[in-house]
Amino acid sequence: MLSRLTRSQALAVCALPVVGLIATAVFAPLPFSVAQPGMTANVLGDDQGTPVITISGAPTRDTSGQLRMTTIEATNPDAHISLGDVIDAWWRTDQAVMPRDAVYPSGDSVKEIERHNEAQMRQSQDEATRAALTYLDRGDENIKVDLELADVGGPSAGLLFSLGIVDKLDGDGSGGDLTGGRTIAGTGTIDADGTVGAVGGVALKTQAARRDGATVFLVPRAECSDAKSELPKGLRLIPVTTLKGAVDSLVNLEKGTGSVPSC
């Protein structure tokens, strides 16, 4: 014989599956990564005691100011990201929730991802060198460029590598520095023809740049709106689409002549 449940007992019984579902949703791993501002590095200087840019086969010039490439730090590809983590990061300006596949598109294992990022970095360095030497009309000369940056993968430092090479070889073209003595930061991929591409995570990278003293940030034009979303006070955005455009903007900024685009 079945006994009749009281109203409160019935509600309690019905609530149990709901509570279970909520608990599962809160604690179950989700396909996201949580990112935050990462390290920056001055490509005109040293990284862990080693020059980032070493040029042989041509005279180089002493430079002033800084050209800082920027990064984001994301949770490990095998990290357990719960709904609570996502909600917490969603309301913070110093963190961002990103689809895991957007951060780690190359495979499932940490080793696969590391190999992919290292390969992308090597390709980016080659493209950056070709772009810079082509821009300077020195692609046929016997100039060798070595780029060293530890613990960084991916292609997003390409633009800053190219600018660093240009500054070390030619500066602003008339004896001055591309930086004008400023701390310039930025991000962007680069092709051998000098085309600058989007990278993602720019709102976090602007925060890393300002934290490390930058007053100007070079951003791929397609990502202007993202860069403006959490723009730190005191940081000026300059949109770029090509290496030539980036150089022209920095020269105009340094000399106070010509136009400097803005987002």
Side-chain angles (χ1 to χ4, degrees):
M1 184 177 194
L2 298 176
S3 61
R4 178 174 294 181
L5 297 175
T6 66
R7 180 179 176 83
S8 60
Q9 288 173 328
L11 288 173
V13 170
C14 292
L16 286 175
V18 176
V19 172
L21 288 173
I22 292 174
T24 299
V26 169
F27 296 108
L30 298 173
F32 295 107
S33 290
V34 177
Q36 62 186 16
M39 55 81 74
T40 72
N42 176 25
V43 301
L44 296 175
D46 294 349
D47 178 56
Q48 299 184 17
T50 301
V52 177
I53 300 174
T54 303
I55 299 173
S56 56
T60 58
R61 51 188 305 281
D62 293 331
T63 60
S64 66
Q66 299 182 21
L67 287 170
R68 302 197 75 89
M69 56 79 64
T70 55
T71 67
I72 61 172
E73 293 178 359
T75 48
N76 289 331
D78 54 358
H80 180 107
I81 304 300
S82 68
L83 180 60
D85 297 323
V86 171
I87 293 173
D88 178 61
W90 188 267
W91 295 105
R92 296 177 57 168
T93 59
D94 62 343
Q95 290 187 346
V97 179
M98 304 174 70
R100 181 188 178 281
D101 289 344
V103 181
Y104 301 111
S106 57
D108 293 327
S109 76
V110 174
K111 288 297 183 184
E112 285 177 335
I113 291 166
E114 287 177 349
R115 286 194 295 268
H116 176 77
N117 286 343
E118 289 170 1
Q120 280 196 314
M121 172 60 90
R122 288 194 297 272
Q123 181 178 352
S124 173
Q125 292 172 338
D126 291 342
E127 298 280 306
T129 299
R130 291 167 60 193
L133 295 180
T134 298
Y135 167 77
L136 295 171
D137 291 326
R138 304 183 70 171
D140 294 332
E141 298 181 29
N142 188 23
I143 297 175
K144 186 176 186 299
V145 179
D146 289 318
L147 300 171
E148 295 288 342
L149 194 57
D151 304 323
V152 177
S156 66
L159 171 62
L160 271 294
F161 282 142
S162 287
L163 289 172
I165 296 167
V166 171
D167 202 13
K168 281 183 171 290
L169 285 172
D170 195 54
D172 65 358
S174 58
D177 295 304
L178 278 183
T179 64
R182 299 176 175 86
T183 297
I184 310 288
T187 191
T189 65
I190 199 159
D191 293 337
D193 64 1
T195 300
V196 175
V199 292
V202 293
L204 297 175
K205 291 179 179 180
T206 59
Q207 295 180 48
R210 190 69 186 108
R211 178 199 66 207
D212 291 353
T215 56
V216 175
F217 191 90
L218 302 173
V219 59
R221 181 177 290 278
E223 296 181 294
C224 265
S225 60
D226 290 340
K228 290 167 64 175
S229 63
E230 300 291 347
L231 186 64
K233 184 178 180 180
L235 189 65
R236 177 177 182 173
L237 292 178
I238 297 180
V240 296
T241 58
T242 65
L243 174 59
K244 182 181 185 304
V247 172
D248 289 346
S249 292
L250 291 180
V251 170
N252 289 340
L253 184 66
E254 174 207 355
K255 296 180 179 299
T257 59
S259 61
V260 179
S262 60
C263 287

